[in-house]
């Protein structure tokens, strides 16, 4: 816990407006710092053909417990200088500018850069007063339709800070892919449920702006996560733990009145925005609403539809106090609501946006990046009946059928669904009718294991697999991430595992590799 004195020591002093020589070019009056204000690192995201978003947040005391001094900051908005160069040594600067770090957003900045050349890396850094950030790498996307030979990306999910070190992030950063896609559970809002290797600083479940801010800040003090963000541009979506376990739209898992839960959601979404490289023109938070679903096109090779699986979803099926909060098992006979076509996983506006975009896409590959397992998972219960988990796509089978039918009927090229949430690796066929062996395979699905979070019981899930022949591979005992290399002809998928999440120096290895061939849906073991 920080003392009051430490907070003050870390706080910014604008008094005197000393002429601190800016390290990135022009001498300018700036704040004097008694601790590094760039303690949370830098990030880039939102790659477009002519620009991207650059992010940082001033936080000389990142875990300041005082709500009046988030990150150890107080007082007025502060201009932050940035520069963008065409080389990693920052010698050929192509752009300089200033962004305003505002108290309302915890002194974070989101710089929307445009006017750059397509399809190339850039490097950037920030300065405030005499303090200078590390250098980060950003990229512009190749223009839509322009030839792109290959793209490498990784995807990650479910990084519980308390349960392990983020070696998966470090090893993915070392691979230097063009992109990393965060598929949710970037933080965990709860704390101390299991003995871990380190603790959340406040020892309390995040529930308001101060506690969500500090949760994100603590994750961002992690050196492996900082390195990943500084090295690799990010596409972002969330799952439940960015707000609360198993929430669905305005419905919390604990039956709060929706209006009350929406206040909490507003605080959580705002803190998320303050810490992510999201573009303000799309994602500026508006009370409990914040749009993060978006699409990204890379030349003629791939279009990513990055979805929001939480904000707009219908309430979970057969939900109700006292014993059915959040995810639970239901059979279709016991819970006919499961099959109600008025229920949606994405919300109908996002569904329309997705279907329109996929129908128009000219890309060779169409990756649907979202938070959860999409394949049907028939769970045989003790009495022999088949149940479904209500918190993932299995709780929204009609919405899944609409999406898969659209992929099939609109002849979307090479659709691949990627997801997280379930803390295990999966390679699946997505079929129009999972119960019919002759039904067409319309898409491929890969789910990545957690960065650190504990996997579901292996033996239990393995017993279910004979009822789920569309599942090619399942492994819940290992932690890691997924690395993908895309070319016009193939998608190469490597499931990467770390040796031990309790070892900060864990090594990495490939557990299993798959290929998807152009024009043929479904993973093939490599
Ligand atoms: Fe998780
Ligand atoms: Ca989750």
């Amino acid at each position: 816990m920080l003392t009051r004195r430490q907070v003050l020591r870390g706080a910014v002093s604008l008094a005197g407006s000393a002429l601190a020589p800016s390290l990135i070019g022009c001498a300018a009056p700036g704040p004097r710092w008694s601790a590094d204000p760039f303690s949370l690192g830098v990030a880039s995201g939102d790659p477009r053909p002519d620009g991207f978003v650059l992010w940082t947040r001033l936080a000389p005391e990142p875990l300041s417990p005082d709500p009046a001094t988030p990150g150890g900051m107080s007082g007025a908005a502060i201009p932050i200088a940035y520069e963008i160069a065409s080389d990693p040594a920052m010698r050929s600067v192509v752009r300089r500018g200033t962004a305003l770090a505002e108290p309302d957003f915890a002194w974070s900045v989101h710089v929307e850069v445009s006017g750059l050349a397509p399809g190339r890396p850039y490097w950037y850094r920030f300065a405030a007063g005499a303090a200078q950030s590390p250098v980060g790498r950003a990229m512009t996307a190749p223009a839509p339709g322009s030839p792109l030979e290959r793209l490498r990306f990784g995807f990650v999910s479910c990084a519980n800070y308390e349960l392990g070190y983020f070696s998966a992030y470090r090893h993915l950063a070392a691979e230097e892919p063009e992109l990393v896609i965060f598929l949710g559970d970037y933080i965990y809002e709860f704390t101390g449920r299991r003995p871990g290797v380190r603790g959340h600083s406040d020892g309390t479940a995040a529930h308001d702006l101060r506690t969500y801010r500090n949760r994100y800040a603590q994750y961002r003090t992690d050196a492996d996560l900082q390195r990943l963000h500084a090295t690799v541009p990010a596409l972002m979506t969330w799952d439940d733990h960015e707000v609360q376990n198993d929430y669905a739209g305005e419905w919390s898992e604990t039956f709060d009145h929706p209006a009350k839960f929406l206040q909490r959601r507003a605080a959580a979404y705002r803190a998320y925005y303050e810490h992510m490289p999201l573009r303000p023109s799309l994602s500026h938070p508006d009370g409990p609403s914040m749009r993060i679903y978006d699409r990204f096109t890379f030349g003629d090779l791939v279009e990513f539809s990055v979805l929001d699986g939480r904000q707009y979803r219908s309430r979970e099926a057969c939900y109700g106090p006292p014993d059915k909060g959040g995810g639970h098992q239901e059979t279709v006979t016991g819970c006919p609501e499961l099959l109600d076509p008025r229920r949606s996983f994405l919300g109908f506006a996002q569904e329309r946006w997705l279907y329109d975009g996929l129908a128009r896409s000219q890309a060779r590959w169409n990756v649907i990046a979202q938070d959860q397992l999409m394949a049907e998972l028939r769970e045989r219960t003790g009495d022999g009946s088949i149940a479904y988990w209500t918190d993932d796509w299995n709780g929204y089978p009609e919405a899944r059928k609409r999406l898969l039918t659209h992929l099939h009927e609109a002849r979307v090229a090479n659709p691949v669904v990627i997801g997280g949430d379930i803390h295990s690796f999966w390679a699946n066929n997505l079929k129009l009718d999972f119960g019919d062996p002759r039904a067409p395979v319309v898409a491929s699905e890969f789910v990545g294991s957690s960065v650190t979070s504990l996997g579901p019981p292996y033996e239990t899930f393995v017993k279910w697999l004979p009822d789920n022949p569309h599942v090619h591979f399942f492994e819940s005992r290992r932690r890691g991430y997924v690395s993908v290399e895309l070319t016009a002809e193939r998608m190469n998928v490597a499931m990467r595992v770390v040796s031990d999440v309790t070892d900060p120096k864990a090594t990495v290895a490939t557990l299993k590799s798959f290929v998807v061939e152009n024009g043929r849906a479904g993973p093939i073991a490599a």
Side-chain angles (χ1 to χ4, degrees):
M1 195 59 88
L2 295 166
T3 65
R4 179 75 196 160
R5 189 154 162 273
Q6 281 173 309
V7 172
L8 292 173
R9 206 158 42 77
V12 63
S13 160
L14 283 165
S17 285
L19 273 174
S22 166
L23 297 183
I24 63 170
C26 52
R32 281 179 298 181
W33 307 99
S34 51
D36 179 12
F38 295 107
S39 63
L40 307 181
V42 297
S44 75
D46 200 63
R48 302 288 164 186
D50 73 334
F52 37 71
V53 168
L54 303 179
W55 172 94
T56 194
R57 180 190 159 201
L58 299 174
E61 297 287 350
L63 305 180
S64 167
D66 182 350
T69 60
M73 297 290 294
S74 60
I78 292 176
I80 300 184
Y82 65 88
E83 62 183 16
I84 300 167
S86 57
D87 65 307
M90 304 295 299
R91 288 197 187 92
S92 304
V93 173
V94 299
R95 181 74 57 85
R96 284 194 175 89
T98 303
L100 204 58
E102 295 177 87
D104 278 356
F105 293 93
W107 286 270
S108 62
V109 293
H110 301 77
V111 185
E112 261 184 281
V113 181
S114 59
L116 300 178
R120 56 151 300 150
Y122 286 94
W123 288 264
Y124 64 94
R125 63 183 165 190
F126 296 96
Q132 185 173 298
S133 79
V135 173
R137 184 171 69 107
M139 73 174 289
T140 50
S146 65
L148 176 59
E149 204 171 300
R150 71 175 196 153
L151 184 85
R152 290 179 312 131
F153 65 94
F155 61 91
V156 290
S157 60
C158 296
N160 186 312
Y161 182 90
E162 296 188 315
L163 292 185
Y165 297 104
F166 293 164
S167 296
Y169 288 156
R170 180 176 69 258
H171 288 296
L172 178 55
E175 292 182 22
E176 296 193 11
E178 277 87 29
L179 278 178
V180 54
I181 310 177
F182 288 88
L183 295 177
D185 292 358
Y186 185 102
I187 61 155
Y188 281 79
E189 87 292 4
F190 63 79
T191 194
R193 281 195 200 157
R194 297 174 191 282
V197 298
R198 48 188 181 175
H200 286 146
S201 60
D202 49 13
T204 183
H207 60 280
D208 61 8
L209 188 56
R210 178 183 70 86
T211 47
Y212 282 113
R213 274 176 173 163
N214 278 9
R215 189 59 46 86
Y216 282 102
Q218 185 173 23
Y219 278 61
R220 279 297 180 80
T221 59
D222 182 274
D224 294 327
L225 179 52
Q226 284 199 10
R227 185 181 309 182
L228 179 57
H229 274 300
T231 311
V232 188
L235 305 184
M236 304 299 313
T237 190
W238 51 35
D239 190 34
D240 53 340
H241 288 289
E242 282 83 354
V243 182
Q244 187 208 41
N245 180 55
D246 287 357
Y247 86 93
E250 61 184 0
W251 298 94
S252 87
E253 72 158 354
T254 48
F255 315 112
D256 292 347
H257 189 275
K260 187 176 151 208
F261 177 67
L262 286 178
Q263 286 179 13
R264 178 175 177 178
R265 198 179 90 174
Y269 283 7
R270 188 181 188 92
Y272 185 86
Y273 174 79
E274 289 171 351
H275 291 84
M276 299 304 165
L278 296 168
R279 59 188 163 123
S281 59
L282 183 81
S283 298
H284 200 275
D286 178 14
S289 304
M290 190 174 129
R291 175 160 163 192
I292 60 167
Y293 66 85
D294 206 354
R295 67 174 65 87
F296 302 88
T297 308
F298 293 82
D300 60 358
L301 186 62
V302 56
E303 187 160 288
F304 293 93
S305 299
V306 180
L307 307 184
D308 178 345
R310 287 287 169 184
Q311 184 171 189
Y312 315 105
R313 70 162 70 179
S314 307
R315 199 179 69 177
E316 285 180 6
C318 298
Y319 160 113
D323 61 341
K324 289 180 180 175
H328 53 282
Q329 283 182 328
E330 292 285 357
T331 64
V332 288
T333 43
C335 178
E337 187 187 347
L338 278 173
L339 300 179
D340 186 339
R342 292 168 300 181
R343 299 177 64 251
S344 176
F345 186 89
L346 300 171
F348 286 98
Q350 186 179 191
E351 278 193 38
R352 265 192 308 278
W353 169 90
L354 175 63
Y355 302 161
D356 289 350
L358 289 170
R360 278 202 310 268
S361 171
Q362 302 288 310
R364 171 67 62 102
W365 298 87
N366 288 280
V367 175
I368 297 173
Q370 50 83 53
D371 51 334
Q372 294 193 292
L373 176 73
M374 189 176 286
E376 182 170 280
L377 182 61
R378 297 157 65 87
E379 304 184 357
R380 197 168 282 279
T381 62
D383 67 4
S385 59
I386 294 292
Y388 298 96
W389 187 247
T390 59
D391 181 62
D392 64 25
W393 285 90
N394 282 282
Y396 301 81
E398 293 298 305
R400 176 176 59 203
K401 190 185 287 177
R402 284 194 296 273
L403 171 53
L404 295 177
T405 301
H406 179 80
L407 292 176
H408 187 60
E409 290 180 352
R411 298 172 178 272
V412 175
N414 294 313
V416 179
V417 175
I418 60 174
D421 169 63
I422 193 161
H423 306 175
S424 39
F425 291 104
W426 299 73
N428 305 325
N429 287 341
L430 294 177
K431 300 177 63 170
L432 273 190
D433 181 346
F434 288 94
D436 178 358
R438 292 156 307 165
V441 177
V442 299
S444 316
E445 175 175 43
F446 296 96
V447 177
S449 189
S450 56
V451 169
T452 62
S453 303
L454 203 63
Y458 180 76
E459 313 297 339
T460 305
F461 275 63
V462 163
K463 280 195 201 119
W464 292 336
L465 295 183
D467 284 315
N468 296 279
H470 49 277
V471 175
H472 288 266
F473 183 71
F474 162 77
E475 175 56 75
S476 65
R477 296 168 298 183
R478 303 301 301 274
R479 315 276 68 85
Y481 60 95
V482 178
S483 279
V484 180
E485 181 187 52
L486 264 182
T487 65
E489 290 311 314
R490 290 156 79 86
M491 177 178 185
N492 294 307
V493 177
M495 296 171 171
R496 304 275 281 161
V497 289
V498 295
S499 53
D500 178 1
V501 292
T502 68
D503 174 7
K505 294 192 168 72
T507 56
V508 71
T510 296
L511 172 71
K512 188 85 184 164
S513 297
F514 289 91
V515 170
V516 181
E517 294 172 349
N518 172 42
R520 185 179 160 195
I524 303 165

